Amino acid sequence: MHINSIGQGSDLVLVHGWSMHSSVWSPLLELLSEHFRCHLVDLPGHGQSDWHEGDFELSILLAKLAEALPEKAIWLGWSLGGQVSLAMAKHYPDKVKKLIMLAANPCFVQTDDWPCAMPPEVFETFSASLAEDQQQTLQRFIMLQAKGANQPRQVIKQLSEQLAQQHEPHPQALQAGLECLANWDFRDALKTVECPVQLILAENDHLIPVSLVEYVQKLQPKLRIDVMTGLGHAPFISQPQQCQLVIEQFIHE
């Protein structure tokens, strides 16, 4: 697994979302690396990380991350990366000093008792389109992430450029990532995790609804929740300085 470390200070692990790679953090990295030693993870089959069958099996993925990354780090995970980071905090508590979930849902797809997530029929349609046309599906996903942002064209441009910088993700890695989003349910992990946790949501996110707030508060009353107004699924691209401030306020609490 490819991990690039930049900057000086306390250890901060950054885990990207589905279909992207660690360069997506560039706007935020310029700010955070002034104060933190940032460890940029490329998930299996993404960016510069190779793909092997089974790499997204949770126990295998977490073991590889635990081996490669420092103890007592702050973990910042975006979307799918937020779920990965939450699972790390649960299964490897010595690794995670504080946890920041950015535009992430402990259970990504709706269930009868978890309506604050993506409708299963929408998810299934999206999954089917990946098998038919990967490139078109990735572009559609970029549009979804930009939707609701105060400057959607800027977000589309930056995400498209970041995706083009590396080889496209491995098709099996993309499929495995979608299976994780469909099947992972880390609500119990959020309920029982012992480290301080921050959830950053975006008001206009079309993938992670802001209605999530009332449900996660019931699971974890100590959770710090910040909602960024006027932004979509990638707030750290639209407003990196504002995002940095929200993150660092939590870290320095």
Side-chain angles (χ1 to χ4, degrees), residues 8-193:
Q8 299 294 327
S10 301
D11 290 305
L12 175 61
V13 177
L14 294 92
V15 188
H16 62 81
W18 183 81
S19 81
M20 300 306 298
H21 52 79
S22 58
S23 294
V24 77
W25 295 109
S26 293
L28 191 58
L29 180 63
E30 291 179 19
L31 303 169
L32 292 175
S33 61
E34 293 180 11
H35 308 109
F36 301 96
R37 179 71 170 166
C38 296
H39 304 274
L40 301 155
V41 175
D42 277 338
L43 290 172
H46 296 70
Q48 297 182 58
S49 287
D50 294 333
W51 170 253
H52 305 95
E53 188 70 34
D55 274 349
F56 264 103
E57 288 182 23
L58 188 62
S59 60
I60 294 172
L61 178 61
L62 296 184
K64 287 184 176 180
L65 290 168
E67 183 181 0
L69 291 158
E71 301 284 316
K72 293 295 179 188
I74 302 153
W75 282 62
L76 167 58
W78 172 47
S79 200
L80 174 65
Q83 287 189 311
V84 172
S85 302
L86 175 57
M88 278 297 298
K90 173 65 177 175
H91 294 282
Y92 291 87
D94 290 342
K95 285 285 177 182
V96 185
K97 180 181 177 182
K98 286 192 172 188
L99 169 63
I100 303 160
M101 298 174 63
L102 175 58
N105 194 331
C107 182
F108 187 79
V109 178
Q110 278 181 6
T111 65
D112 290 342
D113 61 346
W114 196 253
C116 52
M118 181 177 283
E121 61 274 12
V122 175
F123 185 85
E124 287 161 14
T125 301
F126 185 84
S127 297
S129 72
L130 180 68
E132 293 171 10
D133 190 331
Q134 176 171 312
Q135 196 165 24
Q136 186 177 9
T137 302
L138 291 177
Q139 285 301 315
R140 182 181 164 214
F141 188 60
I142 285 173
M143 302 286 283
L144 277 172
Q145 292 177 87
K147 198 172 181 181
N150 55 0
Q151 294 179 305
R153 289 182 182 178
Q154 174 198 341
V155 177
I156 291 168
K157 180 174 182 287
Q158 289 203 37
L159 287 173
S160 298
E161 287 174 354
Q162 295 295 349
L163 196 60
Q165 279 181 9
Q166 308 268 356
H167 295 298
E168 275 194 8
H170 194 286
Q172 290 180 9
L174 287 173
Q175 193 59 51
L178 284 184
E179 288 171 9
C180 293
L181 289 170
N183 298 317
W184 281 352
D185 184 347
F186 295 140
R187 286 178 286 175
D188 282 345
L190 183 59
K191 191 174 183 178
T192 58
V193 72

Side-chain angles (χ1 to χ4, degrees), residues 207-227:
L207 294 168
I208 308 292
V210 77
S211 60
L212 180 63
V213 169
E214 73 171 282
Y215 292 88
V216 291
Q217 281 178 327
K218 292 174 184 175
L219 289 178
Q220 180 55 267
K222 295 180 181 178
L223 184 70
R224 169 170 170 158
I225 300 174
D226 292 277
V227 178

Side-chain angles (χ1 to χ4, degrees), residues 216-253:
V216 291
Q217 281 178 327
K218 292 174 184 175
L219 289 178
Q220 180 55 267
K222 295 180 181 178
L223 184 70
R224 169 170 170 158
I225 300 174
D226 292 277
V227 178
M228 301 183 72
T229 57
L231 300 178
H233 189 62
F236 60 95
I237 291 177
S238 300
Q239 294 290 338
Q241 290 180 318
Q242 185 182 346
C243 214
Q244 175 212 10
L245 287 174
V246 171
I247 288 166
E248 292 196 9
Q249 282 172 2
F250 169 72
I251 289 174
H252 296 310
E253 277 181 350

